[in-house]
Amino acid sequence: MRVRSRAVVAAGVVVAVLAVAGIWLVVRQVGQQLRLPLASRTCTVQADGEVRLDADQMANAATIAAIGIQRQMPERAVVVALATAYQESGLRNLSGGDRDSVGLFQQRPSQGWGTEEQIRDTRYATKRFYAALKRVRGWEKMRVTEAAQKVQRSAYPEAYQKWADESQVLTRALLGDATGAVACTVGSTPVMRGEAAAAALARGLRLDWGLPETPPAADPTGLAVPADDQRSGWRYAHWLVSHASDHGVKRVRFGSLEWTARGGTWSRAADTPAATGQVLAEVFADS
């Protein structure tokens, strides 16, 4: 009886271990898709497909796309970068991960990506990813997951491919290939207000897009971003909406369309069109 009991206990332990391992593998393979309840996804992106994200994810995606353009990377590189960040962190700037991995791309200080503080800087981490991708010979002709794997060297090399479609939708919108494609719902209590919000917004545009410093606006709650053409205008407009939650953006206007924090969607403006060649933004005034 004792031998049989021990055998039963041992078998139970093995089953439990296998079950835990199986659950871990499923979560790893599914990736960050399980991280967010649908109710928290406050941004909708529509560009030959639909993607829904929360405010943090949207802001990070916009920064990844902008820095890709600043570094003169092709559209395909932005798709690869977004798919990688989707899989590695769920488009979140994580404080930890597997072993010493941190940040959007789960880069490791021990593997030479930089210090933990540097990697937690979303712009630094994104630039390092693009620099590494650029060194991969022939990455432009690879599948998304193959190009990502050459940089990340993951134990799950096929995992990035499942985010390729979502990343393509985001890339089209954030690179200005779609009109009024990024719409976010912002709460009634902004994180920032007034001149501080406008200054932070201008600084973010300079750092993400490499834009020159703009002169102070007559209205301290306003910001005007020069746009050479429709595509660049929608790049900046979508970036501004993507960062609305963390920068207190109340309204964005480009051409005859405007987005408002109250409505959360793009619609035709009631008054005259905005000045040609400018994207206008307004932040919440000091209360």
Side-chain angles (χ1 to χ4, degrees):
M1 290 296 293
R2 287 183 180 179
V3 172
R4 181 176 297 178
S5 297
R6 288 175 182 173
V8 170
V9 170
V13 170
V14 170
V15 170
V17 170
L18 289 174
V20 171
I23 292 170
W24 183 85
L25 285 170
V26 169
V27 171
R28 179 70 180 185
Q29 288 291 340
V30 171
Q32 305 304 324
Q33 200 169 20
L34 302 179
R35 285 181 177 272
L36 298 170
L38 187 62
S40 70
R41 298 180 185 180
T42 58
C43 295
T44 301
V45 182
Q46 293 183 319
D48 292 337
E50 181 176 293
V51 173
R52 298 183 70 185
L53 302 174
D54 70 15
D56 288 341
Q57 290 178 305
M58 194 70 244
N60 288 329
T63 289
I64 290 171
I67 289 177
I69 297 302
Q70 182 189 157
R71 296 183 70 84
Q72 300 182 332
M73 298 295 287
E75 179 178 320
R76 182 70 170 177
V78 177
V79 175
V80 174
L82 287 169
T84 303
Y86 246 129
Q87 171 60 25
E88 295 291 352
S89 68
L91 287 170
R92 296 190 180 286
N93 190 17
L94 300 179
S95 59
D98 179 41
R99 288 171 285 188
D100 59 337
S101 301
V102 294
L104 276 175
F105 299 94
Q106 288 291 278
Q107 294 155 334
R108 297 178 60 193
S110 63
Q111 298 298 313
W113 288 98
T115 66
E116 181 177 340
E117 182 179 3
Q118 287 174 321
I119 297 171
R120 286 297 307 282
D121 181 324
T122 56
R123 296 181 179 100
Y124 172 92
T126 302
K127 289 176 182 178
R128 287 299 307 270
F129 178 85
Y130 282 126
L133 179 64
K134 195 172 184 178
R135 291 194 295 269
V136 176
R137 181 176 298 179
W139 70 267
E140 300 93 337
K141 297 180 181 179
M142 297 177 184
R143 289 191 304 144
V144 167
T145 198
E146 292 166 351
Q149 174 64 3
K150 289 289 185 180
V151 176
Q152 299 296 108
R153 302 183 184 280
S154 168
Y156 301 92
E158 288 294 319
Y160 305 102
Q161 193 64 33
K162 65 175 172 285
W163 302 110
D165 291 343
E166 287 89 340
S167 298
Q168 185 66 59
V169 171
L170 288 173
T171 298
R172 280 186 50 79
L174 294 170
L175 297 194
D177 293 324
T179 297
V182 178
C184 296
T185 302
V186 179
S188 58
T189 307
V191 176
M192 305 180 73
R193 288 179 175 269
E195 291 186 52
L201 203 60
R203 180 175 181 273
L205 282 163
R206 291 197 303 273
L207 292 174
D208 278 12
W209 290 102
L211 298 180
E213 187 168 356
T214 56
D219 179 358
T221 63
L223 190 70
V225 186
D228 295 333
D229 51 35
Q230 285 286 313
R231 193 182 190 206
S232 61
W234 282 113
R235 285 177 179 177
Y236 303 144
H238 291 154
W239 185 95
L240 288 162
V241 174
S242 298
H243 284 276
S245 182
D246 57 353
H247 284 76
V249 180
K250 182 179 181 181
R251 172 175 138 163
V252 177
R253 178 80 176 271
F254 184 53
S256 61
L257 297 178
E258 72 173 7
W259 166 92
T260 62
R262 174 179 291 184
T265 60
W266 287 90
S267 60
R268 188 164 296 277
D271 52 0
T272 57
T276 303
Q278 283 190 331
V279 181
L280 303 179
E282 178 187 356
V283 299
F284 284 92
D286 289 320
S287 55

